[in-house]
């Protein structure tokens, strides 16, 4: 099925894919395929400090080009005399930082988006999390707050997103679940204009992750001190009405006389990848009275197909769905089986 979905039209499941696309480029050996017939001797100096949460420079060292031969390595504390001297000499503003010294550094092919390359040396000072040497503060530790209604037994928790975000190299300092009816919950809802729960708020430290932030920014709304995840994960609660939304019922309309027709249930995964929550499923054969009634009701001319209940409108993807089907009294009917390039039966 060749549907063209934009990032804004996809719900939470697709955002996880968007995030995965930005997986920690610092840890990737980005230039391992260079011609390594010429090796350049180098000295590596790592400057760190008392920050257990800070970025691990070992990832950068492992990603150095194969044509850089590290002959010696020096590890320094940023507040040591030698550390202070080098910080001043190279104009380093944050640690951990790495200096690669080589007379041939300009020939080594270091990625200029990762290293600042100068004559005789290169500096990596883009670690996150890091210690800001001007203020002494640790930056890049993200706080997450989930606004939740404990009374909504159907609502999905966003806690699984924490693991996904951490898998991208983003450090989570704190993850809190806040009841929407609590004083803090009420204030956060009001201050940030939240319209559904669960909602996820990320501290602005998220923007420190320069290598991935641009890839995920469109999935968040910027509000005050937070980045707020735009798309609800179904099922979710509409705060203004208290109603549970996003629970979609799927009806698969089949023809048992067509043994090798497409398994229409396969469409379920496609909709789930768009973030659609399938609450209930049922199968109706066109030979039954109900099947015949559905064919007439929706003017169905080809099977197998499916209908989705009116709750599909909770996902704001109507324009995308219209490319492959139609809405009848609020319900969606899949019609364009040709786009699936599978066997089906015309009626």
């Amino acid at each position: 099925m060749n549907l063209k979905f934009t990032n804004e039209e996809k719900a939470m499941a697709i955002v996880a894919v968007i995030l995965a696309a930005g997986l920690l480029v610092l840890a990737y050996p980005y230039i391992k395929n260079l011609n390594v017939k010429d090796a350049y001797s180098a000295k590596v100096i790592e400057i760190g400090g008392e920050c257990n949460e800070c970025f691990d420079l070992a990832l950068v060292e492992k990603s150095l080009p194969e044509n850089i031969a590290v002959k010696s390595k020096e590890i320094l504390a940023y507040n040591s005399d030698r550390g202070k001297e080098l910080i001043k000499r190279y104009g380093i503003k944050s640690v951990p930082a790495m200096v690669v010294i080589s007379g041939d550094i300009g020939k080594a092919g270091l990625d200029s988006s990762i290293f600042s390359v100068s004559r005789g040396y290169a500096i990596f000072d883009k670690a996150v999390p890091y210690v800001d040497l001007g203020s002494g503060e640790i930056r890049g530790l993200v706080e997450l707050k989930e606004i939740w209604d404990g009374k909504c037994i159907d609502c999905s928790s966003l806690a699984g997103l924490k693991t996904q975000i951490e898998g991208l190299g983003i450090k989570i300092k704190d993850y809190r679940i806040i009841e929407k009816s609590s004083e803090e919950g009420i204030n956060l809802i009001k201050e940030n204009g939240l319209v559904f729960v669960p909602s996820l708020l990320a501290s602005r430290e998220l923007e420190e992750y320069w290598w991935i932030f641009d890839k995920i920014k469109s999935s968040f709304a910027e509000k005050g001190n937070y980045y707020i995840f735009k798309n609800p994960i179904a099922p979710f609660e509409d705060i203004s009405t208290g109603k549970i939304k996003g629970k979609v019922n799927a009806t698969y309309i089949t023809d048992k006389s067509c043994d090798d027709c497409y398994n229409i249930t396969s469409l379920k995964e496609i909709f789930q990848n768009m973030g659609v929550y399938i609450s209930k499923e049922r199968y109706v054969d066109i030979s039954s009275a109900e099947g015949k009634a559905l064919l007439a009701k929706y003017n169905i001319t080809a099977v197998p197909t499916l209908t989705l209940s009116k709750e599909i409108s909770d996902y704001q993807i109507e324009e995308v769905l219209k490319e492959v089907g139609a809405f009848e009294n609020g319900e969606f009917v899949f019609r364009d089986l040709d786009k699936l390039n599978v066997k089906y039966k015309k009626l």
Side-chain angles (χ1 to χ4, degrees):
M1 184 176 184
N2 187 22
L3 297 182
K4 296 181 180 179
F5 305 126
T6 65
N7 290 340
E8 290 301 316
E9 292 165 331
K10 296 180 182 179
M12 183 61 202
I14 290 301
V15 173
V17 176
I18 297 172
L19 294 175
L23 273 172
L24 199 54
V25 297
L26 294 177
Y28 185 79
Y30 48 86
I31 46 180
K32 287 295 186 182
N33 293 324
L34 290 176
N35 187 333
V36 295
K37 65 179 181 179
D38 296 319
Y40 306 116
S41 177
K43 177 180 179 179
V44 169
I45 302 174
E46 295 182 3
I47 305 174
E50 298 178 357
C51 175
N52 294 330
E53 303 94 343
C54 285
F55 181 81
D56 186 0
L57 288 176
L59 295 172
V60 179
E61 185 176 352
K62 290 178 181 178
S63 69
L64 290 173
E66 289 182 351
N67 57 2
I68 290 183
V70 178
K71 298 300 184 181
S72 64
K73 184 168 75 170
E74 188 176 1
I75 300 177
L76 303 169
Y78 77 94
N79 54 3
S80 67
D81 290 341
R82 170 78 167 149
K84 291 177 181 178
E85 175 195 344
L86 294 179
I87 287 170
K88 183 177 181 180
R89 180 190 303 176
Y90 294 112
I92 295 171
K93 304 297 184 183
S94 64
V95 292
M98 176 185 289
V99 182
V100 182
I101 302 173
S102 173
D104 297 307
I105 198 69
K107 302 176 183 179
L110 287 171
D111 189 336
S112 60
S113 69
I114 306 297
F115 288 88
S116 299
V117 181
S118 299
R119 186 174 181 179
Y121 65 90
I123 298 175
F124 169 77
D125 58 355
K126 296 183 177 181
V128 186
Y130 63 91
V131 177
D132 184 314
L133 295 177
S135 65
E137 296 179 349
I138 298 176
R139 303 298 306 273
L141 297 177
V142 177
E143 296 183 22
L144 297 177
K145 294 180 180 180
E146 177 183 340
I147 313 302
W148 165 264
D149 185 355
K151 296 180 181 179
C152 180
I153 58 175
D154 291 322
C155 290
S156 299
S157 172
L158 307 182
L161 183 59
K162 175 179 180 290
T163 302
Q164 294 175 344
I165 292 176
E166 287 178 322
L168 303 170
I170 296 175
K171 294 292 183 72
I172 306 301
K173 177 182 179 181
D174 187 34
Y175 183 91
R176 295 175 55 211
I177 297 178
I178 301 168
E179 174 62 45
K180 78 161 191 174
S181 59
S182 68
E183 181 178 354
E184 183 179 7
I186 292 172
N187 289 335
L188 286 171
I189 290 172
K190 182 178 180 181
E191 292 168 2
N192 297 285
L194 303 182
V195 295
F196 59 82
V197 290
S199 282
L200 185 69
L201 285 67
S203 65
R204 296 186 70 90
E205 296 291 318
L206 189 66
E207 63 193 19
E208 294 286 350
Y209 293 83
W210 52 271
W211 66 87
I212 195 173
F213 182 68
D214 285 345
K215 295 180 175 66
I216 65 175
K217 186 177 180 180
S218 63
S219 298
F220 291 84
E222 189 175 349
K223 187 77 173 181
N225 295 324
Y226 300 100
Y227 284 102
I228 303 170
F229 191 72
K230 289 181 180 179
N231 299 313
I233 297 181
F236 62 93
E237 178 184 336
D238 184 314
I239 292 177
S240 63
T241 64
K243 293 182 178 180
I244 308 305
K245 307 186 76 174
K247 297 175 67 175
V248 177
N249 298 330
T251 300
Y252 305 106
I253 303 172
T254 60
D255 181 359
K256 61 184 179 182
S257 68
C258 185
D259 295 333
D260 55 350
C261 277
Y262 174 65
N263 181 4
I264 197 66
T265 311
S266 300
L267 284 178
K268 176 182 177 181
E269 183 177 354
I270 294 176
F271 286 107
Q272 287 177 324
N273 285 339
M274 295 172 65
V276 176
Y277 179 82
I278 305 298
S279 177
K280 295 180 181 179
E281 302 171 86
R282 65 190 185 114
Y283 294 83
V284 179
D285 192 84
I286 60 173
S287 63
S288 67
E290 183 181 8
K292 294 175 182 177
L294 289 174
L295 294 181
K297 177 180 179 181
Y298 297 116
N299 190 28
I300 293 172
T301 59
V303 290
T305 190
L306 92 162
T307 66
L308 299 174
S309 62
K310 62 183 180 180
E311 286 77 15
I312 191 64
S313 297
D314 295 337
Y315 295 89
Q316 300 178 352
I317 54 175
E318 289 94 336
E319 294 305 314
V320 178
L321 295 180
K322 285 178 181 177
E323 295 181 12
V324 292
F327 282 84
E328 307 285 348
N329 297 321
E331 296 190 347
F332 171 73
V333 184
F334 191 95
R335 296 195 182 279
D336 199 346
L337 288 164
D338 286 329
K339 285 191 176 179
L340 297 177
N341 194 27
V342 295
K343 183 175 180 179
Y344 64 91
K345 182 178 181 179
K346 293 184 177 180
L347 302 178

